[in-house]
Amino acid sequence: MLLIGAVPTAMFVVMSALIWFNVYAFTVSPLSALKIAIGVVPSAVVLGSGLWVLVFKGDSPLHGVPVREEEQPELWALVRRLAEAAGTAPPDDIRLTADANAAVVEDTRLLGLIALRRHMFVGAPLVAEMAAPHLAAVIAHELAHYGNRDTRFAGTAYRSRSAFAHTLTAMNRDDYLQRGLHFLLRHYGRLVLHASANLSRRQERAADEAAARTVGSAPTVAAFGDLTSIAASWELFRRRHLVTGWQAGYLPADAFAGFRRLRDSLEGEPVEADEPDPYDTHPPMGERIASVRALDAPGTVRVPAGAALGLLRDPRPLLDAALLDGLGPEALAKRRADWPALVRIGALASATEHTGLVLANAARATGRPVALRTLLDALDADMLVEVGTDPAGPQRPTDGPRVRRERARILVHAGLTGAVLAALTDAGALHWSESWPSRGAVRLDERYDDSLPDLLDAAVSDRPDTTRLRALLDSADQPRERPRGRWHYR
Amino acid sequence: MALQIGAKTRVLMAMRKEAKARGLSVQKYMGTASHQELIALIRQVDPTVNPAEIVPGLPDIPPVDVTRWGMPPEAALSTDLSRPVPVVGAAVAAARAGDWRPAADLLERSYGDWAMRSVAVHALGEAAADDGAWMRAWRATAGENRHFAAVEAHGLLWLGWKLRGSRPGEETSPMQHDAFFQTLRRSEAASHRAIELAPDDPTPWSTLITLARGLSYDPDQFAAHWRELQARDPLHRTGHEFALMYWSPEDGPGSYDSLFAFADRAAAASPSLAFLVLQAAFDYEARDENIWRDAMVQRALDLVLRWLSTPAGGGGVFADSDRRWAAYALVSAGRGAEAVPLFAHLGVDASGRPWEDYNDDAAAVFDSFRRRACAAVRS
């Protein structure tokens, strides 16, 4: 507490001294004081605004979806039992979030002297993937922070850090006075950040021990492993899979089923070992596991074995709502698709990024309708450069003919690939499938023994040859009852 | 002083007018207008003022008449890199006109003179990247021989850069990045083909060294290529130049200490490589401009100047290349007056490094440096 308060106190002292000095100077010589003020006022303003962030900043809006006790009595009952075992009051609300972690936050005022409400955040990925005793260990760990009275000042410690960072970045280093202050604060502040990280590590160790005493050492150690692997795979899932159809307006119908399949496909792959970071607020994982194991605690609260999902009634809509909450308001407008459809939608959306432009160029160059056949005709007529010119592209007046031609070839290849993939998909000649952990896979129907990449390369080569590509499209495009996509062949 | 204030006021009035014409505030206009536009505007108002003294941050272009020192006017400057070596210039001009024979003759005649071959392949490679017609005609008539293969490999390297453009990564589209990597991969494959056709030729190995940065070779991979180049020509200039760029800590592996050590070792091996220390200083100057007054840099600069005064140094195919580095270093080190004869010798040739690193501003930067050199004589 002493150290946490030290940065803002130092900032306050420096600011007051600057103001006092200026006021004093004013009484001695108003003209000199005015000159001094030119240097002092900006510094005082910067320090003052940093302190404002620290002391008066309210709570940030809560994220996550509330889990109501009347709807989910089993989860609430577990949390209450764990709170009782930890010797603390249960939280005022539980919220399910889209993050792969759990947290405790208390609303406070005046640097943590007044506490208002306690919130518990539980990540939906943890609920979806962990066993109930492991999730109980995570919750017990978070509740232990309440029992230890950690959380009330945690907000202050956090805000002290952000006020400090705010002040440092706001300082204008062109001016000597501010440069000097910057130097002092930077070196002194580094010391304090280090100390507050140390304090935080001690709190984490205490919480680990409390969790082990409540639910047992074994589930607690297992929960550590789960947390690391879920966090890594969730990050991959969010980046690579969850938003694959986002641009086309789609989200997965059952996101967590996909997450399960991703994790199954990653089974046995090593999880990155965490490197020690001097400012990390958690002790190294190896150390945490060793000390919990050494306790060999049997646990006092019995948690039924089985998946954590069993703690929730009708969990799917709740998990889905938490996921949408994490994706922002735009997510509500997305349509839903199952995973194979999503693979197709996402891949075609990115493959056809340049298709519209290339087809339109071909239609303009030949005076014929916008269609894949028109594009192939234009390529046969050696109109590669016309078809592949992007008015918004990076061309320069000094570009030679080969540069223009190569640039066009790359654009046309991309646009043509998208058009062909779309046409063959419409014709039922391409099969899209899930292929965890990759984004998906596509395969040409067994009826055809062509190599699609070779056919596409041949169509945009210096001596263009579209005959085999046309033959493939013709044989695939037998009239059938099916909806037409945007980029039909005929 | 009175005149200076007058010019400043008149420039400000002109800027206000220009901003109004574009519907912008003066601040907004100054923030969006390019250096070239601002310099043009200042010159319109008064051609005898230094833009850096009117608007802080604009290049230092002292108002001197360089023609009094026998230098050509700015409008006559050329960034054509085939110009400095006349036989190469002739071969490139013929190639650009569609005739591949002078290029083939030059490469055949000079085979074994690796310095000449390096300069010729570099300049012909650019011509090949601009227009592939003469290369196709060459291959159709003469087949794929060692000369064609070396130019083709280096030409694909040029093509990759032209497709990418020279903007920083974040201003380059994914498609430009893809085109760059694909084309550099083709250049890499073509280099290995050229090596098969001419196992004793260092030139394709030098092309691979040049590719190393773009293809993110790891240090082991780079070292393997470097050994091959060294075995064929231990003092290969272009290879050293691009090895230094590979090792630049700017966004590659290595540190400045090892960069300067590499350059200093090369300079000790031969005065023909002393320019590398100046190149390293150029790389470093954004961090500390005082590097130009550093003893090691000054020593290397004097070594380059002495080398240029010898028949081998002053008459070789890389003589102008050394003159550029020496001229840049002299002006940067506050010894501008000594650079005047070098700039006079370079004449209209504003090609090559360090100027070409300024892309579209290459000729303007060249002009600014020679004006600073001339201004140093007067003061």
Side-chain angles (χ1 to χ4, degrees), chain A residues 459-474:
Chain A
V460 298
S461 76
D462 280 332
R463 267 176 247 126
D465 176 7
T466 64
T467 44
R468 286 201 300 149
L469 186 57
R470 285 174 196 266
L472 171 67
L473 289 163
D474 279 333

Side-chain angles (χ1 to χ4, degrees), chain A residues 354 394 396 398-403 405-407 409-411 414 462, chain B residues 128-132 136 152 156 159 162-163 175-176 179 182 186 360:
Chain A
H354 303 286
R396 299 153 52 98
T398 52
D399 286 340
R402 188 177 180 187
V403 177
R405 195 173 176 82
E406 287 303 322
R407 189 174 288 139
R409 195 194 314 281
I410 288 162
L411 184 68
D462 280 332
Chain B
D130 285 338
D131 188 349
R136 284 197 296 276
E152 171 71 0
L156 285 167
L159 183 62
K162 284 174 188 257
L163 289 171
M175 195 164 258
Q176 283 168 279
Q182 283 172 26
R186 285 170 66 197
D360 291 344

Side-chain angles (χ1 to χ4, degrees), chain B residues 245-278:
Chain B
M245 285 170 85
Y246 172 80
W247 289 115
S248 167
E250 200 58 47
D251 50 358
S255 69
Y256 274 110
D257 284 344
S258 60
L259 196 75
F260 277 105
F262 172 83
D264 205 33
R265 266 199 312 281
S270 166
S272 67
L273 295 178
F275 81 100
L276 288 167
V277 178
L278 308 182

Side-chain angles (χ1 to χ4, degrees), chain B residues 29-279:
Chain B
Y29 167 72
M30 294 204 27
T32 50
S34 71
H35 279 185
Q36 278 165 338
E37 282 174 285
L38 291 176
I39 293 170
L41 188 80
I42 292 167
R43 292 234 171 112
Q44 235 174 5
V45 172
D46 186 347
T48 66
V49 296
N50 186 343
E53 284 169 19
I54 303 285
V55 180
L58 282 184
D60 185 11
I61 311 175
V64 289
D65 178 9
V66 294
T67 57
R68 281 182 45 214
W69 279 271
M71 299 176 199
E74 189 185 356
L77 296 178
S78 158
T79 53
D80 177 359
L81 59 92
S82 73
R83 191 183 275 274
V85 183
V87 283
V88 173
V92 168
R96 287 191 187 278
D99 183 4
W100 54 270
R101 279 162 219 280
D105 284 347
L106 170 65
L107 291 173
E108 177 61 28
R109 218 171 46 235
S110 65
Y111 194 80
D113 176 352
W114 304 134
M116 174 61 93
R117 190 172 177 81
S118 166
V119 170
V121 165
H122 190 59
L124 288 166
E126 184 178 24
D130 285 338
D131 188 349
W134 66 277
M135 291 291 283
R136 284 197 296 276
W138 187 359
R139 176 153 57 184
T141 313
E144 194 189 36
N145 60 43
R146 58 187 179 176
H147 308 311
F148 172 89
V151 175
E152 171 71 0
H154 205 77
L156 285 167
L157 168 67
W158 270 106
L159 183 62
W161 276 106
K162 284 174 188 257
L163 289 171
R164 184 197 176 282
S166 49
R167 307 297 305 161
E170 61 276 11
E171 294 170 37
T172 303
S173 73
M175 195 164 258
Q176 283 168 279
H177 277 295
D178 287 352
F180 178 64
F181 284 112
Q182 283 172 26
T183 314
L184 254 52
R185 287 278 172 222
R186 285 170 66 197
S187 170
E188 186 184 40
S191 298
H192 286 291
R193 179 88 191 108
I195 288 163
E196 281 170 32
L197 292 169
D200 58 335
D201 183 3
T203 317
W205 288 106
S206 167
T207 301
L208 287 171
I209 292 294
T210 312
L211 287 170
R213 183 84 175 251
L215 288 182
S216 312
Y217 283 174
D218 63 42
D220 288 342
Q221 215 176 351
F222 181 84
H225 288 103
W226 180 246
R227 275 194 298 277
E228 297 284 353
L229 178 69
Q230 292 267 289
R232 286 164 181 79
D233 184 1
L235 300 179
H236 198 278
R237 177 178 175 116
T238 316
H240 276 86
E241 184 177 341
F242 285 96
L244 196 81
M245 285 170 85
Y246 172 80
W247 289 115
S248 167
E250 200 58 47
D251 50 358
S255 69
Y256 274 110
D257 284 344
S258 60
L259 196 75
F260 277 105
F262 172 83
D264 205 33
R265 266 199 312 281
S270 166
S272 67
L273 295 178
F275 81 100
L276 288 167
V277 178
L278 308 182
Q279 190 189 324

